Amino acid sequence: MTAPDTALEPALAAKPQTPFQRFLADFFDSKIATAGLVVLAIILFVAIFAPWISPQNPYDLSKLDIMDGRLEPGTKSMDGKPFLLGTDDQGRDMLSAIFYGLRTSLAVGVTASFCAMILGMTMGLTAAYFGGLVETIIMRIVDIQLSFPSILIALILLAVLGQGVDKIIIALIAVQWAYYARTTRGTALVERRKEYIEAAQCLALGDRRVVFRHLFPNCLPPIIVVNTVLIANAIALEATLSFLGLGLPITEPSLGLLIANGFTYLLSGKYWISFFPGVALLFTIVSINLVGDQLRDVLNPRLQK
Amino acid sequence: MKRIFAATGAGLAAAVFLASAVAAAEITIGLGADVTSMDPHYHTLSPNNNIATHVFGTLIDQDEMQKLKPGLAESWRIIDDSTWEFKLRRGVKFHDGSDFTADDVVATLARVPAVPNSPAAFTIYTKSIAGVSVVDPHTMIVKTAGPYPLLPTDLSNIFIISQKQAKAATEDFNAGKAMNGTGPFKFASWARGDRINLVRNDGYWGPKPAWDKVTFKLITNDPSRVAALLAGDLNAIEIVPTADMAKLKTNKDINIFRVVSNRIIFFHLDTDRDVSPFVTDKQGKPLDRNPLKDLRVRKALSKALNRPGIVDRVMEGEAIPAGQLLPDGFYGTSPNLKPEAYDVEGARKLLAEAGYPQGFAITIHGPNNRYVNDEKIVQAAAQMFARIGVDAKVETMPSNVFFTRANKLEFSFMLVGWGSGTGEVSSPLRSLLATFDAARGMGTANRGRYSNKQMDALLDQALATVDDAKREKLLQQASEVAINNLGIIPLHYQVNSWATRKGVMYVPRTDENTLALEFKPRS
Amino acid sequence: MNPPVPMLELRQVSKRFVKRLDTAAKLGNFFGAGMREEVVHAVDKVSLAINPGEVVGLVGESGCGKSTLGRIVAGIHQANEGERLWHGRVIADMPAAEARATELKIQMIFQDPFASLNPRMRVADIIGEAPVVHGMVKLDEFDDYLDQTMRRVGLDPGFKRRYPHQFSGGQRARIGIARALAVKPEFLVCDEAVAALDVSIQAQVLNLFMKLRADLSLTYLFISHDLGVVEHLSDRVVIMYLGRVVEIAPADDLFRGPNHPYAQALLAEVPRLETRRRRFEPVKGEIPSPLDPPTGCHFHPRCPHATERCKREAPVLREIAPQRWSACHLNDAT
Amino acid sequence: MTGGSDAPTLVVENLRTHFFTRAGVVKAVDDVSFTVTKGRILGLVGESGSGKSITGFSIIGLVDPPGRVVEGRILFQGRDLASLAENEARKLRGSRIAMIFQDPMMTLNPVLRIDTQMIEAVQAHEPVDRETARQRARDALGKVGIPSPDERLKAYPHQFSGGMRQRVAIATALLHRPELIICDEPTTALDVTIQGQILYEMQKLCRDSGTALIWITHDLSVIAGLADEVCVMYAGRIVEAGTVDEVLDRPLHPYTLGLIGSVPSRNVRGRPLAQIPGMTPSLLSLPPGCAFRTRCERADAACMEAPAITLPLANRPIRCVHPNLAASS
Amino acid sequence: MPVYFIRRMMQSVLVLFVMSLLVFVGVFAIGNPIDILISPEADQHEIERATRALGLDKPLWEQYGLFVVNALKGDLGRSFVFNIPAIDLILQRMPATMELAITATFMGVLLGIPLGMWAGLRPESFSGKLIMSGSILGFSLPTFWVGLMLIMIFAVFLGWLPSTGRGQTREFLGVHLSILTWDGLRHLAMPAFNLALFKLSLVIRLARAGTREAILQDYVKFARAKGVSSRRIIGVHVFKNIMIPIVTVLGLELGSTIAFAVVTETVFAWPGMGKLIIDSINLLDRPVIVAYLMVIVFMFIFINLVVDLLYSVLDPRVRISESKG
């Protein structure tokens, strides 16, 4: 009567998936999200290999010739090189500039969000796990920070710090860490009350082990979702700050700065200086958001079955 | 089409009325910089002065080429080196109907230093005055501390208020209560940051303004301003963005008016210190001596600049290559000074002669929101320096940071500009190139700490010479010394431009002022 | 003859959950806002002794504190007051290493087969983590040990590389049991361990519990709201109401004739297969909020026999017959 | 299989409700037939995934996509509900047929007051003014034993306990004196003493007003005390039906037998329970033939054919080729 | 309730203190306002006079102390540039920004909720997917770019709407509002839409997610079982439930809408606070920066208060909690 039942449900037995495989299968279920991921992959490839695939190094001023400035897409330079997407006012090949700009934008967005994630997650986990005064202090700071518009914080911070990739990354981290801290703490508080954590405590596993082996991995999914959204936000915010004249140095333009530079030429019909970077930015943010949306759905425990 | 759209709406009567009134005698002008105060003596800032020029009069006016011409003073003469007599215009009335007399001038001069909290007072134009005496209501004597030939020029910047407003506070002007001048337009209203409304002063002593009502709209964003003009919301705009110039020129509905300005764009360079912070060898190690102290190096850098290229590509033709401090024809400019020709080979040779055959590395600093295309010019220059082996890095920043750092002498090589409000060459010579002497107000903007005894002597002499012809000679000599020695590297003069809807004409001005009086319907 | 030393004993254990006032609230009170700390007496001075090999059922309705009591026994919650003894020794006073060893002897089986397993760990890790961390098995023996543990609870060791979501509810319950068994416990606290399972699966798991008890001579504290399950499994039954124990009795005696009015009501309400088309005559009233429990005897508002005294005075748990304890003033009268 | 003398309130014939998911067609309800008579209680028993709840939803017409009633007739007082237009069906819902759900914490809209939710239920079927509707709601609350109904009408659901909310749901169901109430495990989430109260109310209601009741549950013990007839469901099909006494005392189907054996109170204390081996199969991948085959001790080659409903004894429909006739003697 | 206020007040005082300190140190670190404001021809004497006039000759801590003392008296200082009380300057500009932000929020709500609910009710339909794709675009497009595109299309090419500026205003309760005139409305339309785009996308997503979740809830099924019409279920049961997150998020977003007006105001030359803060940062007009931040913080506190109150109205489960959330 008490014979061990070894028969697993056939449906389950047929597909021995790891959570990751299951996650992949769910993810690719949506065509539009898959398309987003493909676009994102192309963008990432371009960004990473920009120095090897760009016709020109747009960041090296000695490679530019101002006499090539503002050429229309498809025209040839003075020494015969074609400019597929035209040039900007400095004679920068727009195609190369977009490749490099993607690189900068993504680097800024990803680095800033990643650093903010590390900082925010540490803070959030610390707050959730220790509780008490530590939690009160951390969460007050988070509250204060979140009760203030991000763009203003970035604006003032950048005014103080000055320009530069490092500066804008610092500003973006300062703006974003609080979101991670809040999300992490919220999730950690929910997960902490779950029975598997109690089980781990009951098994007399050490605090650190409980936090890092049990609590932390289960807090990750919402943070990953927040992360994709915030990377997109960081890229858009950087573009906006560049538009407002703060942010990156002019010689190493990100997509936002390229748009801002071309902005002045829009009404004069030289659309390509602003338009193509705008399209690149659009594709980047949309694809990240598409992927993020799908991640949200796939990782949402309530929609999971 | 717009009319039709408006007429279908609820505000039908008002819209039609407004629309027809525009055709009659109204003009709406888009301004590119914000007006901070209505007080004519609070802050010497071009947008403020521009509005004040409409409402208030000055003893001496500047014409469109900044030549002095009689204003509220019909004539003036020198009695001795430090005594001037002014004959005031008769029959001039303030907007409130009271007569203009010498007492108003006295009251004005007394108010100028008494405006509280001014961040940039008009006292820079009155400090030479030692005493004023009224001979009769229309004659007055002004005594200066020493020989001071620039008195008329300075006075052309002082707006005369009525003695009734002698004690008025800045707030009273801002609220419009004290806006009582002798100018061609009366103040009507000011919506801060948005618009200023003026109405015609029918009792104006000079030529009758063409407009019953003038509206200045403040649209600091360049494309927005152009768009507003194209959309027909504005009749005219100032500071036409260079980027849009080409397109606007081909637009049949738009007229463009351009004139060279009194603003020069140039590079200031550290010719003082033996080790300059941003000049290094190509590996980034400090050099044992500062190459910028070597005239040959400066010359090489100047030759490396393709001025016509910058004018054509960066400035879209809206600039003129510069060879000295003010465009030819301005008082004190030298006919002998011409823009340096673009000569890469010559530049390389000079560098080699100076001991830098491989070049060196330098960082060019510049503001990114102060001058037309400032950021782009710096980049273009960096490109050009790269061609003669000088590795130039570019660092631009908002002007608030830039000027604070520049004043602390943190830079080695920087892009700056200078507009001569006085319209003559002593202004840039004194501020940019004279040896720094804070107490005397010499070299106040000499951020390269250029110092040349010969130039200093010539300038001092000129500033004490009241005779115009003699002074001009001295100023020309001083210019030649400073420019040939490359105390600064001139780049170009900006071109001031205005764009109007078809049917409105403007007389472009070198001083950047946008005067409603000078807009005329095409007759 | 001295009574045997109980394996596990609780003495006057209380657990309160307090929502404290913050600075602002204190400041508000200074101006007369009249804010109070919210205190839930989840467990109120409960004493309990469990002998080796015994199965004690702990019964009560929602909010009665039975789960909290279970967690105190398992060492997950610390009691605010009172002592927990293991073979007569206070666990809190033991040296750290010994205390930890003791905690491992007391394990818990949880209710929710979904939430009680870490979704990001493989079955092998879920079961095997603790014995490895605590050095209870050598690495080269680990696989054998794991297989043996899995087989013991009726799981195919071939599935040890899988994740919890790939198992059915009943299998998950088995994984939870295997996890507890892996550290060689002597005492198991089962908190509603079968409540979430279907009847047919529930029967399998109950059978497993009984088999393990026989094989490994385990002692159980079996917490459940299902009187049928408790009746089937337990030697003795403890009934709780709003944080207090109202009756303790051997299972046979209790189901033959409950003493406490609450126990009587509870037993009367239990639907049974044997009773057909009965007329339900329910006990009146709602279960009060543990935030604001009634004065005196917590059950008095619903009790058909309540007197004035019941409103004022909380009855103590008294031994009314050998092995039978009850907390009711009615027992004083006779 | 009917025990009553009145005309049946509801006759379900060969009902099939399928869910068309990406993974395949889930036959949640597969060829289900039964009859409910006025004033009597039909128990629908099964474990999770047996299709008992979907049967309830199919009757009241609330099967959500991707689910769909694909076959069968649902005759309510002679009208076939399965063929009604949505608007016609809506008119029946809440007035002639009502339903009570499992989780009382979820069935009331948390942001609407009780009176709003009850008045809309009144006004959905009768064009009465608010005051009359409120009066009706108040009476209904009083009837299910809610004290001071006037006050409670103005309250929000969160101010009620679980038991009280279930009473409100019952009161709402009673507003139009329906002929049929479908109760989907309405006491599962409640404590024993509160369950007793609810069962009491429902029983009284059925006795007093002659409403027919379908009581869906997994708990055989509740059925034993409450129902008149019982249908046992397994994997979307009814495997056995009959009166409560017949089915519980003399189960014919091996599954019913196992189910009864699994109830602890039925067994000798401390002895192993008579369990059913294995686990409930996924509806997506049912074994061919009899769905219970893989867990059945009696299974043989004959079970590879899907068994049809047979009547081995009078009024004892069963879906099994090896009915346990010996036990029923 | 009183405790709730005390808690909010304590938080706000802390925020105000920290913000003002940061701005003081920040502006000090950026540069010297005199360098920007003064005429470059000014001599040493004039520079010193101006420095004294603006109180910048004192050490930073003393300047800050003075500011705190004055702020407690309700005086946030005078603008360096405009020489009028900074707070007046901001209050003059505030109606324009508030008008823009509130109009944008309303646009977002009025368009977003129906679209979002539609997409939530028909998640698999073409229109539902189209709405969602649109909302992702709205999320992703940088505000400034959209602003310029709007000007290009509606002002330059089509000539339907005025390109920039605020248009005619009419005074109402002492505040100049452009929403009260036809001309003003025409000017408001584009910037408000530009600013609303992000909110709109947000509302669509919230409404869609809320609807999708709500229609699966038992109470919706129960309402259907009661025979309630689907129009009432969607319009009352679902609607009231999705309003809770929307009101909360939008209320909190109103603050950042006001802040993000910086960009829209720059593009559309809208004379609001946002343009003022950018200019003030450029001119290092510290009193205005400080006063602006103070006003924003106060506004946030006020908005939070209103949101909390609204929240307790919309969601009866939430009292203005006497205990910590």
Side-chain angles (χ1 to χ4, degrees), chain D residues 8 13 32 37 40 50 64 89 101 112 156 158 218 241 261 266:
Chain D
E13 287 174 0
V32 163
T37 320
R40 292 183 72 86
S50 63
D64 286 322
F101 293 69
L112 298 177
Y156 284 96
H158 72 277
H218 67 276
R266 255 305 251 240

Side-chain angles (χ1 to χ4, degrees), chain A residues 48-54 100 103:
Chain A
I48 291 168
F49 296 99
W52 293 276
I53 57 176
S54 301
Y100 273 75
R103 191 179 161 87

Side-chain angles (χ1 to χ4, degrees), chain B residues 28-51:
Chain B
T28 307
I29 303 165
L31 297 184
D34 200 4
V35 175
T36 68
S37 181
M38 284 294 135
D39 186 338
H41 305 139
Y42 169 62
H43 187 180
T44 104
L45 191 71
S46 325
N48 290 9
N49 297 352
N50 184 37
I51 297 300

Side-chain angles (χ1 to χ4, degrees), chain A residues 64 66 70 90 92 163, chain B residues 313 376 379 383 387 396:
Chain A
L64 310 184
I66 195 163
R70 286 181 273 108
Q90 293 292 324
R92 221 177 248 121
Q163 285 185 322
Chain B
R313 293 294 154 147
K376 296 173 184 170
Q379 285 185 83
Q383 272 186 31
R387 297 214 174 0
T396 60

Side-chain angles (χ1 to χ4, degrees), chain D residues 95-110:
Chain D
S95 61
R96 325 301 311 146
I97 307 173
M99 187 158 179
I100 301 167
F101 293 69
Q102 172 174 3
D103 188 349
M105 308 308 268
M106 308 295 290
T107 45
L108 298 176
N109 193 327

Side-chain angles (χ1 to χ4, degrees), chain C residues 6-8 49-57 186-188 213 217-222 233-237 250 323:
Chain C
M7 185 179 200
L8 185 126
I50 299 167
N51 294 316
E54 217 182 0
V55 177
V56 174
E186 297 171 11
F187 189 103
L188 282 186
R213 180 192 181 191
S217 52
L218 290 170
T219 306
Y220 287 105
L221 176 62
F222 202 90
L233 224 60
S234 312
D235 302 320
R236 274 195 306 144
V237 178
Q323 294 286 310

Side-chain angles (χ1 to χ4, degrees), chain B residues 212-455:
Chain B
D212 297 323
K213 286 174 75 175
V214 177
T215 303
F216 287 110
K217 281 189 143 192
L218 301 165
I219 307 176
T220 49
N221 182 281
D222 284 344
S224 304
R225 195 164 59 250
V226 174
L229 179 75
L230 291 174
D233 299 333
L234 301 175
N235 302 97
I237 59 168
E238 64 170 9
I239 318 178
V240 182
T242 55
D244 298 313
M245 196 54 100
K247 184 90 178 193
L248 287 176
K249 277 178 185 161
T250 62
N251 188 328
K252 285 201 296 292
D253 294 333
I254 303 290
N255 295 323
I256 305 277
F257 304 91
R258 310 159 61 230
V259 68
V260 68
S261 78
N262 59 24
R263 189 177 298 278
I264 181 182
I265 301 297
F266 62 95
F267 287 109
H268 227 139
L269 57 182
D270 182 1
T271 51
D272 182 45
R273 284 172 287 190
D274 287 328
V275 176
S276 201
F278 285 101
V279 187
T280 62
D281 72 5
K282 285 190 159 180
Q283 279 69 47
K285 287 201 248 356
L287 292 164
D288 51 351
R289 63 198 166 104
N290 175 1
L292 299 179
K293 291 186 83 165
D294 190 323
L295 177 61
R296 287 169 298 187
V297 174
R298 302 205 289 270
K299 194 92 182 160
L301 292 175
S302 184
K303 279 180 183 297
L305 290 170
N306 180 358
R307 290 178 179 80
I310 289 176
V311 165
D312 181 47
R313 293 294 154 147
V314 180
M315 300 300 290
E316 308 252 351
E318 295 304 301
I320 291 170
Q324 52 183 321
L325 294 163
L326 273 172
D328 293 349
F330 276 84
Y331 183 84
T333 52
S334 162
N336 303 325
L337 293 172
K338 295 285 171 244
E340 185 82 52
Y342 178 47
D343 177 8
V344 175
E345 276 319 302
R348 283 182 184 278
K349 212 186 292 164
L350 276 169
L351 268 189
E353 267 175 45
Y356 303 98
Q358 301 306 318
F360 52 90
I362 195 167
T363 303
I364 314 178
H365 289 89
N368 59 16
N369 57 0
R370 179 66 188 87
Y371 309 112
V372 177
N373 299 335
D374 40 16
E375 215 170 24
K376 296 173 184 170
I377 299 167
V378 175
Q379 285 185 83
Q383 272 186 31
M384 291 162 182
F385 289 160
R387 297 214 174 0
I388 63 162
V390 173
D391 287 355
K393 264 179 58 184
V394 168
E395 209 174 299
T396 60
M397 58 204 79
S399 52
N400 52 11
V401 183
F402 176 78
F403 285 110
T404 302
R405 290 182 65 186
N407 285 354
K408 285 194 223 151
L409 307 183
E410 285 185 19
F411 304 140
S412 298
F413 199 94
M414 72 208 94
L415 179 90
V416 250
W418 187 267
S420 300
T422 58
E424 44 86 55
V425 88
S426 70
S427 148
L429 280 175
R430 192 167 58 166
S431 300
L432 301 175
L433 288 160
T435 304
F436 179 72
D437 183 349
R440 285 180 61 219
M442 299 303 268
T444 48
N446 185 350
R447 294 167 180 126
R449 289 293 183 265
Y450 174 76
S451 177
N452 184 315
K453 294 269 162 351
Q454 191 193 354
M455 207 285 304

